[in-house]
Amino acid sequence: MNKSQLIRLISWRTGSSQKDIKNIFEAMEDIIGESLAQDEKVVIAGFGRFHTSMWGDYFNRQTGKYIHLRRVIRFRPGSRLKAKSGCKTS
């Protein structure tokens, strides 16, 4: 499912216009992105948690420095999302 299909389905289920749902969806994307840029966690109860972490690091014993760190976005699904998708909850 892509973004436009998701917007269409939410619009159909809620009875709201696709334009309104698209605006809400884009505002949500902006808010989550801005929060992650400030290194804040975003938790949506039952749905999941977005957070950033450093990835790819290792310690170079010769130089005493960590090498190849980069910041990545991570998502951990919540219990309701796992249950709806049929995935394990533990």
Side-chain angles (χ1 to χ4, degrees):
M1 178 180 299
N2 62 32
K3 181 179 176 178
S4 62
Q5 292 170 329
L6 181 60
I7 289 170
R8 194 176 318 122
L9 185 58
I10 292 171
S11 172
W12 179 76
R13 284 199 182 179
T14 63
S16 300
S17 73
Q18 287 186 29
K19 184 178 179 181
D20 289 342
I21 299 300
K22 182 180 179 189
N23 289 338
I24 291 168
F25 194 85
E26 289 174 353
M28 189 175 88
E29 287 176 330
D30 291 343
I31 292 167
I32 290 172
E34 291 164 4
S35 296
L36 293 173
Q38 295 175 7
D39 209 24
E40 296 176 11
K41 293 178 185 174
V42 178
V43 179
I44 303 171
F47 181 75
R49 181 181 81 180
F50 297 90
H51 64 282
T52 59
S53 64
M54 300 307 279
W55 182 84
D57 61 318
Y58 68 92
F59 186 72
N60 184 330
R61 292 182 185 156
Q62 292 177 344
T63 63
K65 296 180 182 177
Y66 284 97
I67 308 220
H68 192 261
L69 287 174
R70 66 182 171 134
R71 205 161 151 232
V72 294
I73 297 173
R74 306 244 185 219
F75 176 75
R76 183 178 174 120
S79 57
R80 281 197 328 239
L81 183 60
K82 286 181 185 178
K84 295 258 183 192
S85 66
C87 295
K88 285 185 165 183
T89 56
S90 57

